[in-house]
Amino acid sequence: MQLQSQVGDFIVRQLSTISPAPISFQWLIECACIRLFDASMIVEDPLSELAPLKEPRIEQPLKQVEQIYAIDRVIDSVRNEGLIKYFHEMIGLFGSVMISLTATEKQHAQVKNWVDRGISGHFLMTDSGGPSLNSWRTEQIENERGLVLNVDKIHGIGAQNLGFAMVVAKQSTRPFPATFLLPPDICAQLNQSAIGKPFLAGTLQLGNCHGSVRVSRDMLLSKGGLGSVNQFLSLIRPRFVKSLMHHVLWLHDQNEVDLTTLDQEHIEYLIYLCNEQISTPVFSLCSIDRVLAIKFSSNELLLDLVCAGKVKSKVCQRDFLAFTKAEGSSYRCFYEIYSKAKEYRI
């Protein structure tokens, strides 16, 4: 087996558990994987073939919260009208799903009150410290002031004008992050600024925010623990990718993107993967890797369209590149799958 195919197998075999990848699409994925094979992987990886994937030992029913049906209707509308009109509605519904899965009854009531008053919610993940949690600058600490949240978030949707916010932070004593639900009065204490030009025809502005605020433990979104967060990602990631593929097809209809027959086959393959994953009624650790592989594939397809000169306007090219970073960059998706699978060799 060639090294390129061997490295690409980390992603390709995840896709193939849903449906075998077309040879042309498999080549695109393999080229991306070998490009992302970093220095430590090149030096330390045994470069032997991967052992066959095993069936998950534990499966749980995948919760189908009521907002999912509204999200699916929005995604269908994107195919006919594009993403610009529906992006904020879709992201708002995504946030509502997260609240449903992770918030207590009291927190639910708080959010409902804020939304009823016209206050918008924001999800702040991307950290100025970079992609590695160990390097994050957003961290909860305890000092003489009590529990304090140091916030340093960048590139958040609407983060230049925060209402209430879900802020993901490093925990100094635990190897996984915590998410705080910050009320409007606490968000108002953070320094906020717009960053860069807006996306999606001027409708999507990103912002940075930073500062130090006092928080309490009852602000933690802790219902269901890490399992709820992983279920959220399993529900949302394939729907986000499907909306992106619908947007690309709509842009093709508008003569903004030149898709070949092969490009359209690749897009339809990705949509099929999304539909199959969306229809799966159970959740397992394997689900996490599958949706990471789907997002990886979406990133690389969009990047390929830009690099091949098939996206006509610079504005639209910039949108496509931004979507390759949103909700999981290619490196991050590849690294997470690789890290879990690297020890399992023939």
Side-chain angles (χ1 to χ4, degrees):
M1 178 184 284
Q2 292 293 317
L3 181 59
Q4 180 168 301
S5 297
Q6 200 169 311
V7 173
D9 206 30
F10 283 100
I11 299 295
V12 170
R13 67 184 191 150
Q14 294 294 337
L15 304 178
S16 296
T17 61
I18 306 173
S19 179
I23 296 300
S24 54
F25 194 76
Q26 185 172 326
W27 174 257
L28 186 154
I29 297 304
E30 288 175 355
C31 289
C33 290
I34 199 73
R35 187 184 73 247
L36 294 168
F37 212 55
D38 67 24
S40 63
M41 296 172 188
I42 294 168
V43 172
E44 301 172 16
D45 193 273
L47 302 179
S48 54
E49 293 184 33
L50 294 171
L53 287 171
K54 295 181 179 179
E55 291 295 317
R57 289 180 295 175
I58 300 174
E59 291 184 332
Q60 301 173 342
L62 186 60
K63 297 176 183 177
Q64 296 294 323
V65 294
E66 60 182 298
Q67 298 92 331
I68 286 299
Y69 306 105
I71 292 170
D72 290 340
R73 287 195 298 271
V74 167
I75 292 171
D76 289 341
S77 298
V78 170
R79 177 62 187 89
N80 298 318
E81 301 176 74
L83 189 57
I84 295 169
K85 180 178 178 180
Y86 292 100
F87 181 81
H88 287 286
E89 180 181 359
M90 185 176 69
I91 293 300
L93 287 166
F94 286 172
S96 181
V97 171
M98 185 172 183
I99 291 294
S100 294
L101 293 174
T102 63
T104 64
E105 289 186 13
K106 180 181 177 181
Q107 289 168 333
H108 269 287
Q110 287 178 313
V111 169
K112 183 179 184 305
N113 176 262
W114 296 330
V115 171
D116 288 346
R117 290 160 51 194
I119 300 172
S120 59
H122 305 262
F123 182 70
L124 303 179
M125 168 69 83
T126 306
D127 199 272
S128 65
S132 172
L133 181 63
N134 290 335
S135 302
W136 274 16
R137 295 172 183 167
T138 301
E139 181 178 13
Q140 67 168 76
I141 59 173
E142 289 197 54
N143 59 23
E144 65 281 357
R145 295 170 58 195
L147 190 62
V148 174
L149 186 65
N150 292 327
V151 178
D152 197 350
K153 292 297 185 183
I154 60 174
H155 308 163
I157 296 172
Q160 76 285 354
N161 187 25
L162 294 176
F164 66 92
M166 293 164 277
V167 182
V168 187
K170 179 171 69 172
Q171 302 182 90
S172 57
T173 58
R174 297 182 180 180
F176 51 86
T179 304
F180 285 84
L181 178 64
L182 299 188
D185 60 320
I186 291 184
C187 286
Q189 299 172 31
L190 296 172
N191 296 303
Q192 306 165 38
S193 59
I195 186 73
K197 295 180 180 179
F199 294 89
L200 288 177
T203 64
L204 173 57
Q205 178 65 57
L206 303 185
N208 297 348
C209 62
H210 67 274
S212 181
V213 293
R214 292 192 64 177
V215 293
S216 58
R217 298 200 181 277
D218 63 2
M219 294 178 188
L220 281 165
L221 289 171
S222 56
K223 177 185 170 184
L226 285 176
S228 291
V229 175
N230 287 330
Q231 287 220 10
F232 168 75
L233 293 173
S234 294
L235 285 168
I236 293 309
R237 271 193 173 125
R239 288 176 165 88
F240 183 54
V241 169
K242 185 178 176 181
S243 74
L244 295 179
M245 295 304 103
H246 278 183
H247 183 57
V248 175
L249 291 174
W250 177 78
L251 286 169
H252 176 66
D253 294 342
Q254 309 308 307
N255 200 32
E256 292 290 336
V257 178
D258 290 328
L259 299 177
T260 65
T261 299
L262 195 58
D263 293 328
Q264 293 181 65
E265 289 176 3
H266 291 169
I267 290 170
E268 293 298 339
Y269 171 68
L270 256 183
I271 291 173
Y272 177 80
L273 295 182
C274 292
N275 285 335
E276 288 296 297
Q277 193 61 35
I278 286 168
S279 65
T280 300
V282 295
F283 164 80
S284 70
L285 292 178
C286 296
S287 307
I288 301 170
D289 289 339
R290 290 191 195 113
V291 298
L292 283 167
I294 288 171
K295 182 55 171 63
F296 178 99
S297 302
S298 169
N299 293 345
E300 294 308 312
L301 190 150
L302 294 174
L303 180 61
D304 183 67
L305 293 175
V306 172
C307 290
K310 296 174 182 177
V311 185
K312 293 185 177 180
S313 73
K314 187 184 293 185
V315 170
C316 195
Q317 292 168 24
R318 182 171 175 263
D319 286 346
F320 276 35
L321 293 180
F323 286 134
T324 69
K325 307 301 180 185
E327 195 45 61
S329 68
S330 289
Y331 179 78
R332 194 67 215 169
C333 293
F334 180 75
Y335 181 80
E336 287 194 32
I337 292 172
Y338 172 84
S339 296
K340 285 186 276 186
K342 65 181 178 180
E343 304 299 331
Y344 298 98
R345 309 289 177 142
I346 293 175

